[in-house]
Amino acid sequence: MNRDIVVCYDCAGEGEHHAIVCTADGRCAPRRLRCQTCDSTGQVPATQHAAWQECQRRRALRLAANLSGREMAVRLGMDPVAYNHCEHGREPFPEGSEAIFAALEKK
């Protein structure tokens, strides 16, 4: 395997997710859904994986400080939904946020 490509962290290389999907009429059934993170290839660029690991590190710091996502968003001066996108690697964290996370790390 190319060192610049690693196993997808979202689907564990399967290219799909197992889910329960419910229709408007209330019927639910198990389904297999395509992984949008890797576009069902089961692989992602190593740089994308490294960014995800950093998001997980920051999430762990937040949880260790016993802060909710909403509370962390307030500390960073951002919308809670936007913070959620950052924590899940869909958007970058705002500039200057590393100082707040560094302070959490020292506790």
Side-chain angles (χ1 to χ4, degrees), residues 7 16 39 41 45 47 50 58:
V7 172
E16 296 179 318
D39 199 25
T41 65
T47 53
R58 290 182 181 205

Side-chain angles (χ1 to χ4, degrees), residues 73-87:
V74 168
R75 286 186 180 206
L76 294 171
M78 62 190 305
D79 176 74
V81 173
Y83 176 77
N84 183 275
H85 287 296
C86 294
E87 198 169 86

Side-chain angles (χ1 to χ4, degrees), residues 2 9 11 13 17 35 42-43 50 56 60 67 75 80 99 107:
N2 183 338
Y9 49 86
C11 68
H17 295 282
C35 179
Q43 301 175 337
Q56 294 303 296
L67 294 169
R75 286 186 180 206
K107 289 185 177 182

